[in-house]
Amino acid sequence: MYFIFEMEFSSNKHYITNLIKSYAQSIAMHVEIIQSANMITLIFNKDDEKLESFLLGLNERLPASIFLGKSKHYFTEHKPDFASIKEIHTPLNISLCPSCQKEMFDVSSSRYYYPFTSCNNCGSQHPFVTAYPYTRANSTMKFLVPCKGCQEEIKLNPFRKDYPLISCVECGVSLKMNDGKSERYANDKGSYRKLFEVSAAAISKGKTVLMKTANGYRKFFKPMSNMKLIDTILLIADAKALNEHMMMVTQEFNALLSIERPIVRVSTKSDEMKMLYGSTALVKYPDDGMTMLLARELMNAGMGYIAYEEVNSDAEADFLVDFDIPIETQKDSKLFINQDMRFFISGERVVFPAVVTTHRDVVSVAHNLAAVQIDNSMIIDTMERFESMKTSKINILQSEDFESGHSNEKTFEQWKGSMLSVLAEYDAFNEKAIGIHFDSSLYFLYYNGKEVINVVPPNSFDAGSMFDNISKLREGSDRLVLNYKKAYPVLCERLEKLSGDVDLFAVTAMMLGLKDESFEGISAEALSFLGKGGIQIDTRVNDNRFDNYAFLASIMSYQLGTVENSLMCYSIYESFGDYISEIVSQLSEKTGAKNIILTGETLANQALYARIQRHMGRKNLLFPKNYPIGKECAVHGGIYI
Ligand SMILES: [Zn+2]
Ligand SMILES: [Zn+2]
């Protein structure tokens, strides 16, 4: 008789499975652990005496993960037969597993307040790795010689067996702090701790601390209501502050605290937070060791949250905390959550390196990422990490500044790469599909079973000549422009100076006088609308395609009629949602396609998402699973051109 424990796991990354394997090894537990396509399965002998204590212990060691779903257990006579998915050894860039966290805060351990504490199944590994295969020799830690204790651990500790980046206080990376006058070093337990204590104290006194973290330079500070906080990230030092200041559903709370530690846009709750950030904020729970240790000291100093900006090494600050080992950082990842739906909005951390198990003789390049064949699979990672690429074909994103010199080179568009990525994720190449791609422009696409066609391309938009174009729309439009210029002279002076590449949403936000001049700004304002129905905003003139200038003209005339901002922003979503569903209905009727693929960062928006769900919820909507809905997924789609 077998006891089976199954956990849904929606990724082909292996860190949870490997952590369970290490744990089983550490207590000599006999268990078979299989990671199959959407599941991790543990197979025990039902009569094993250690079974209960193993499961209890696992509960303590297993981190929360955004990829983990429901779990169940049952008894069976016959051993289930699952096919394992292939594993390729790639460096992680996630937060710390519970065991490593315990070590980092245990004064008796050799990693007390050591910010680079990690094991085979956790931590900031990727920033230190320079090339494949993933070994210490291919990392910037190669010049640090592991101490005796670490050398023992590599052999004996199942969690750090052959761990390429093993290090501790004794043999690891030292830190330094500079306040413009003097420098202090951290290279033993006491001095590491002191450095973070001093940093936290400085922040609580209103000073800024520029810190090199495994995820890049971050400028930490105490947020105040007189600051411009729109582009800053709210760092929660104490989980209690999350409940006190933010309004969250369980899924958002769990995602923030998961070992992947994504950035999530969350609604504010307390008056204090509303004063600082308005209705929503981008929130982060500490991810890497540096940020976690700082957060611990902030908590000790009585601060539940601070803010940070992602900056370069030369940013101005009162204090600089730095280390000498070079790192190559990844763009941080944002996660979209709406009830049980979640997908990455944008970013590289956690998503890449990605392993693609279908093997094709091709290299795909997009946004400085490359998909390259290794070991009968493909790995997607930043270009610099691949020293050479052998291929008979190379597909490059159109906008990419990269010359391969390869004789069989093809370029592809973002919308094409994005749609193919999702088709591949669902293995849906055999069926026709409609695609909506919405970045700064809106595309309607059709996949006929062979290729992706741009069936309703966007009209071009030129912010530089917008008033001319609006004047020519229809009879009376020139008068509208004149009246608008008279009513809003200062704004119009600014609008007339815009260069052509400013996008439609930035222009709209400017016209409405929003602080955050982007699609996000419009979205935040829309959330504060408490009424029921919106007003009709024009989206078209002559043909079926969205007309940027008609859209702006419509907003201008409502503004002159003094329609309030929140209603206007809400109506913008309504109009987009309605327009999208109408075109999709027409296209699916015409083509018979059932699958609707959604890509492009603009769709990762609560208001628009709700609108689309309302209209098309019964259709087969396919959102990305493991790659961002934003531009980065193109490198994956590029494999299938
Ligand atoms: Zn660990
Ligand atoms: Zn050591």
Side-chain angles (χ1 to χ4, degrees):
M1 194 79 147
Y2 298 96
F3 175 76
I4 314 291
F5 188 68
E6 287 177 355
M7 291 175 275
E8 288 173 8
F9 193 71
S10 58
S11 163
N12 67 0
K13 298 182 191 299
H14 276 71
Y15 46 85
I16 297 290
T17 300
N18 290 343
L19 187 139
I20 303 171
K21 283 183 182 168
S22 306
Y23 169 53
Q25 223 179 11
S26 73
I27 60 162
M29 178 75 192
H30 192 77
V31 51
E32 214 176 305
I33 303 158
I34 301 157
Q35 183 167 349
S36 50
N38 271 308
M39 186 103 75
I40 300 172
T41 309
L42 278 53
I43 305 173
F44 304 88
N45 180 340
K46 176 192 156 274
D47 300 318
D48 196 318
E49 284 170 359
K50 285 200 268 183
L51 181 56
E52 203 185 318
S53 68
F54 176 85
L55 290 174
L56 284 173
L58 183 62
N59 205 22
E60 268 172 40
R61 285 170 189 268
L62 203 63
S65 166
I66 53 170
F67 301 118
L68 274 172
K70 292 189 193 96
S71 63
K72 65 170 183 184
H73 51 85
Y74 55 91
F75 296 97
T76 175
E77 289 290 347
H78 304 284
K79 198 165 159 182
D81 189 18
F82 292 107
S84 299
I85 52 168
K86 188 172 165 177
E87 180 185 3
I88 293 183
H89 195 206
T90 54
L92 302 172
N93 191 6
I94 52 178
S95 187
L96 271 58
C97 75
S99 313
C100 286
Q101 277 191 53
K102 225 170 162 185
E103 245 181 297
M104 198 167 71
F105 293 112
D106 174 4
V107 70
S108 68
S109 101
S110 62
R111 295 189 178 84
Y112 182 62
Y113 271 74
Y114 179 57
F116 307 101
T117 304
S118 56
C119 71
N120 274 318
N121 312 310
C122 82
S124 311
Q125 306 172 9
H126 189 269
F128 297 96
V129 176
T130 50
Y132 287 99
Y134 172 25
T135 58
R136 193 171 184 103
N138 282 336
S139 82
T140 53
M141 284 213 186
K142 63 185 166 188
F143 298 116
L144 297 177
V145 181
C147 68
K148 251 201 183 132
C150 286
Q151 283 179 26
E152 283 282 287
E153 260 198 283
I154 287 187
K155 285 184 234 139
L156 301 175
N157 180 353
F159 291 91
R160 297 207 178 90
K161 182 109 194 352
D162 301 324
Y163 180 41
L165 303 181
I166 195 161
S167 67
C168 70
V169 165
E170 199 173 313
C171 61
V173 184
S174 52
L175 304 179
K176 56 184 180 200
M177 181 179 211
N178 194 317
D179 63 2
K181 284 177 239 124
S182 58
E183 212 157 45
R184 88 165 53 227
Y185 289 86
N187 45 24
D188 58 36
K189 292 184 194 181
S191 54
Y192 275 112
R193 172 150 191 194
K194 189 79 197 159
L195 189 146
F196 289 102
E197 204 183 297
V198 173
S199 302
I203 294 167
S204 76
K205 283 186 201 122
K207 303 268 187 226
T208 52
V209 173
L210 175 63
M211 192 177 272
K212 181 174 177 180
T213 75
N215 296 319
Y217 281 88
R218 289 172 174 170
K219 184 171 162 178
F220 294 103
F221 61 95
K222 188 173 167 178
M224 315 270 203
S225 54
N226 60 355
M227 292 175 180
K228 187 173 175 276
L229 295 169
I230 283 161
D231 296 320
T232 70
I233 292 160
L234 176 65
L235 180 78
I236 301 291
D238 183 348
K240 274 188 231 138
L242 260 181
N243 285 322
E244 190 184 335
H245 297 292
M246 310 308 289
M247 186 104 80
M248 290 165 300
V249 295
T250 319
Q251 290 93 329
E252 289 170 324
F253 184 83
N254 292 346
L256 281 166
L257 267 61
S258 71
I259 193 165
E260 291 83 15
R261 301 281 156 92
I263 295 173
V264 183
R265 184 172 286 280
V266 182
S267 299
T268 50
K269 180 162 89 184
S270 67
D271 291 339
E272 183 180 324
M273 204 49 82
K274 282 189 196 301
M275 281 274 286
L276 293 171
Y277 279 92
S279 56
T280 69
L282 288 172
V283 181
K284 168 80 133 184
Y285 200 60
D287 48 8
D288 83 310
M290 298 290 287
T291 312
M292 286 170 86
L293 290 168
L294 175 66
R296 172 59 67 101
E297 287 305 319
L298 287 165
M299 225 164 100
N300 292 344
M303 297 185 78
Y305 65 86
I306 56 167
Y308 70 88
E309 264 177 279
E310 294 174 335
V311 291
N312 293 323
S313 60
D314 55 4
E316 295 254 329
D318 301 317
F319 290 85
L320 170 68
V321 176
D322 211 347
F323 52 89
D324 284 333
I325 297 225
I327 51 166
E328 209 46 73
T329 56
Q330 294 184 294
K331 253 190 278 147
D332 210 348
S333 294
K334 289 189 192 131
L335 193 74
F336 178 87
I337 302 168
N338 186 296
Q339 293 174 4
D340 287 327
M341 167 61 79
R342 56 133 196 85
F343 53 77
F344 287 102
I345 302 171
S346 61
E348 298 168 344
R349 200 178 61 79
V350 181
V351 178
F352 303 109
V355 173
V356 185
T357 39
T358 44
H359 170 239
R360 291 189 171 211
D361 185 10
V362 63
V363 163
S364 162
V365 175
H367 305 292
N368 200 36
L369 292 157
V372 173
Q373 314 163 59
I374 286 183
D375 193 14
N376 272 324
S377 292
M378 303 195 79
I379 292 187
I380 307 179
D381 205 343
T382 36
M383 296 262 276
E384 294 77 26
R385 282 180 174 76
F386 302 105
E387 278 163 355
S388 64
M389 314 174 195
K390 252 192 214 138
T391 178
S392 50
K393 192 175 144 194
I394 182 161
N395 297 331
I396 303 177
L397 182 73
Q398 218 168 34
S399 59
E400 205 67 9
D401 186 19
F402 174 71
E403 273 173 45
S404 68
H406 198 285
S407 58
N408 190 7
E409 182 186 301
K410 243 190 196 170
T411 57
F412 65 93
E413 297 87 350
Q414 176 71 50
W415 48 266
K416 191 176 275 184
S418 292
M419 184 163 180
L420 287 172
S421 171
V422 181
L423 285 168
E425 284 202 271
Y426 286 87
D427 200 10
F429 285 120
N430 300 326
E431 293 165 70
K432 292 184 268 186
I434 305 295
I436 306 159
H437 180 76
F438 199 177
D439 43 30
S440 56
S441 304
L442 177 58
Y443 300 76
F444 291 94
L445 313 168
Y446 172 52
Y447 174 73
N448 59 10
K450 282 197 201 95
E451 57 175 338
V452 178
I453 305 158
N454 186 3
V455 280
V456 187
N459 283 311
S460 62
F461 176 64
D462 178 13
S465 60
M466 58 179 260
F467 283 130
D468 286 348
N469 285 303
I470 294 170
S471 299
K472 285 182 240 152
L473 266 178
R474 41 174 101 82
E475 230 190 285
S477 297
D478 50 345
R479 221 168 31 234
L480 172 68
V481 171
L482 283 177
N483 290 340
Y484 193 78
K485 285 185 178 172
K486 224 184 272 166
Y488 304 98
V490 183
L491 168 69
C492 290
E493 203 176 308
R494 189 174 167 219
L495 290 172
E496 282 183 304
K497 280 188 201 137
L498 290 180
S499 67
D501 57 356
V502 179
D503 78 45
L504 177 71
F505 306 119
V507 171
T508 307
M510 275 176 221
M511 286 169 66
L512 299 178
L514 304 179
K515 255 201 250 167
D516 181 356
E517 293 175 343
S518 71
F519 196 68
E520 248 349 298
I522 301 172
S523 162
E525 187 68 30
L527 287 174
S528 64
F529 176 65
L530 299 170
K532 274 201 177 119
I535 45 174
Q536 177 76 37
I537 293 181
D538 265 351
T539 47
R540 277 162 282 188
V541 183
N542 298 318
D543 54 9
N544 224 346
R545 290 156 69 187
F546 177 82
D547 190 302
N548 301 285
Y549 304 112
F551 172 81
L552 290 177
S554 190
I555 289 176
M556 282 160 61
S557 50
Y558 280 125
Q559 248 183 313
L560 289 171
T562 59
V563 169
E564 61 172 314
N565 264 353
S566 60
L567 170 60
M568 194 95 85
C569 291
Y570 175 82
S571 308
I572 288 173
Y573 283 93
E574 230 181 29
S575 310
F576 268 112
D578 295 354
Y579 171 63
I580 289 171
S581 6
E582 194 192 318
I583 304 284
V584 167
S585 288
Q586 289 172 10
L587 289 174
S588 49
E589 206 163 291
K590 226 189 264 175
T591 60
K594 298 241 158 41
N595 294 337
I596 318 283
I597 313 272
L598 298 104
T599 59
E601 204 172 323
T602 308
L603 290 173
N605 177 285
Q606 298 293 351
L608 189 54
Y609 179 87
R611 196 81 196 159
I612 287 176
Q613 281 295 343
R614 198 164 123 197
H615 280 299
M616 308 197 293
R618 267 175 296 162
K619 291 200 161 77
N620 198 20
L621 302 181
L622 305 184
F623 285 92
K625 289 197 264 194
N626 286 298
Y627 297 93
I629 198 167
K631 60 187 182 177
E632 292 89 353
C633 64
V635 66
H636 174 236
I639 296 172
Y640 305 93
I641 300 283

